[in-house]
Amino acid sequence: MTDVRASPPVRRLADWDPAELESLVDDYGSPLYVLDLERVRENYRRLEAVFPDADILYAVKANALGDVLSTLREEGAGLECASAGEVQRALEAGASGSEVHYTAVNPPAGDLDWIVDAWNEHPELTVTAGSEDTIDRLADRGYDGRLCLRVNPGIGAGHHEKVRTGAAAKFGVPAERAVDVLTDAADRGFDIVGIHAHVGSGVSSDQLDAHREFVARMGDLARDVEGAVGDLELVDVGGGFGVPYREDEDPLDLASVAAATRDAIGEIDARLTIEPGRYFVADAGVLLTDVNTVKDARDTTVVGVDAGMTTLIRPAMYGAYHPIRNLTAESDGGSPEREIVPQTVAGPICESGDVFCTERELPVSKREDVLGIGNAGAYGYEMANQYNSRPRPASVVLEDGDVRLSRRRETVDDVTRPERGARSGSRGNRKNDHPRATDTDNDPVR
């Protein structure tokens, strides 16, 4: 078992062996996602050590790869799911209903139908509703099981305005209405088990005051709710624990976050619950990509690679920084050291926003070099898409010194198959259908 005291609080891109990464492209092709499952375990154990009395759920949306879900379940994590598809993945990874929380945000009808069917088979599943409408829709489907209410505490934090959820109107019932909503739900026969909120994604150390205020509001609300509807099982304060993407950023002081959380929430009878996602997987992953074009433009050198915003959308969507290394330049010990020059690394998508960096100081790039893009384990493949009809990449995992293919590379045939299925009358075309794992026409990566 890994000793978390000997495990660094963050794994930088510079800590990966360049020759080993480059060899993976030789074996599995490019672009390629690489995920180190041992690092995922280390990150879980580090968080568990500072939150020994909390229930820890993994936010599946960060990386839903089956190997990740199985690894974190083995470590003791439950699974927090944002869609019916993620619940299906959780159950396929061996989770019991008691280990699964479904957190619905304006859930489609097909999702709710699927979830209620799953609840009939797994009655210990917990559903978190973020509106009175969702509670009504659950009741209409006969659901009266474990209900957690997502509330909006009116305070948000995170690395970008698009992910600061705690104050965004989209998320949760206003906190001042929570007691009335839960009282009504209890009168209607729901099993009220808790309250939930999430301040945002990628919370940094300098946002600790916002986190503390957010948790304090949740503690106050929990005491009000318990006074009105009885004891709660859980108070879920979400995740959002940030990781340093830039090389000069310090890692989050987890001990301080844990102490601030316990102090802010105060005395509650319910179990404190947290649900990190990014923290477990971000620095466990690297995206590998081949250089195919080097071009001297007017004001910069453009390095064209075969990964793009369809492979990793965070730079285009959030202006996010990811560290980049030229692995070939570093691993080629027999060649003269390459000059460091500013370069713009760009993908193959027909969009000017399809760039990973501009004017980044890197060793001179050559065609067929392999670049590594760091901190790609969270919201990398999960946000990958097929724009420009580009197939999604493969994924490999590292575990106990071995490498194995965890997700095969898509082909263009995979991209176009749903159209052929529609023309031939395959399932999955009806209103509100939710594709099951058996619907292979709708599941090209299985």
Side-chain angles (χ1 to χ4, degrees), residues 16-24 26 325 327-328 330-332:
W16 295 76
D17 184 278
E20 289 183 7
L21 289 177
E22 189 178 20
S23 70
L24 295 177
D26 292 336
R325 293 171 68 188
L327 303 173
T328 304
E330 295 184 33
S331 62
D332 190 2

Side-chain angles (χ1 to χ4, degrees), residues 124-185:
E124 295 305 308
L125 184 147
T126 299
V127 173
T128 300
S131 72
E132 293 171 86
D133 253 1
T134 299
I135 296 173
D136 290 342
R137 295 166 69 203
L138 288 165
D140 290 345
R141 289 164 169 78
Y143 182 89
D144 60 0
R146 293 170 55 83
L147 184 72
C148 182
L149 183 69
R150 182 165 187 166
V151 301
N152 187 311
I155 185 169
H159 72 85
H160 191 277
E161 62 182 9
K162 293 181 180 179
V163 297
R164 294 168 192 155
T165 56
K170 175 179 177 177
F171 299 96
V173 172
E176 61 271 19
R177 291 173 47 205
V179 171
D180 290 342
V181 171
L182 285 171
T183 299
D184 178 68

Side-chain angles (χ1 to χ4, degrees), residues 340-420:
I340 304 297
V341 298
Q343 298 167 62
T344 295
V345 179
I349 309 305
C350 191
E351 299 277 350
S352 57
D354 182 33
V355 295
F356 292 113
C357 68
T358 56
E359 297 299 280
R360 187 80 59 87
E361 298 282 338
L362 295 167
V364 168
S365 295
K366 301 177 182 179
R367 203 180 333 139
E368 298 184 0
D369 282 352
V370 177
L371 304 187
I373 301 176
N375 275 18
Y379 305 104
Y381 191 95
E382 289 310 303
M383 299 178 79
N385 59 82
Q386 296 172 337
Y387 181 45
N388 281 181
S389 292
R390 293 195 180 276
R392 288 176 293 185
S395 300
V396 298
V397 294
L398 313 179
E399 187 172 31
D400 298 328
D402 293 327
V403 182
R404 69 173 181 274
L405 184 68
S406 188
R407 180 191 286 117
R408 71 167 175 84
R409 186 177 308 282
E410 286 183 347
T411 65
V412 173
D413 189 60
D414 291 323
V415 175
T416 60
R417 183 177 295 127
E419 297 172 42
R420 298 196 302 278

Side-chain angles (χ1 to χ4, degrees), residues 217-296:
R217 294 186 189 186
M218 290 296 289
D220 291 341
L221 180 59
R223 288 181 281 275
D224 290 343
V225 169
E226 289 187 325
V229 301
D231 291 345
L232 298 176
E233 287 185 27
L234 63 99
V235 176
D236 188 334
V237 297
F241 304 127
V243 298
Y245 282 78
R246 294 182 180 272
E247 293 89 342
D248 58 353
E249 290 177 340
D250 293 328
L252 194 65
D253 185 344
L254 278 183
S256 295
V257 172
T261 301
R262 284 190 291 267
D263 179 65
I265 203 165
E267 291 295 324
I268 57 172
D269 294 327
R271 181 88 168 170
L272 174 66
T273 301
I274 58 175
E275 51 181 52
R278 181 191 313 269
Y279 183 82
F280 294 140
V281 293
D283 73 350
V286 175
L287 171 62
L288 305 180
T289 181
D290 271 338
V291 173
N292 55 49
T293 305
V294 179
K295 178 176 67 174
D296 290 329

Side-chain angles (χ1 to χ4, degrees), residues 41 44 48 54-58 69-79 99:
R41 293 185 191 277
Y44 179 87
E48 184 184 42
D55 287 333
I56 301 176
L57 308 176
Y58 169 58
L69 306 190
S70 298
T71 296
L72 286 167
R73 277 200 62 247
E74 290 171 4
E75 292 297 315
L79 301 174
E99 296 173 302

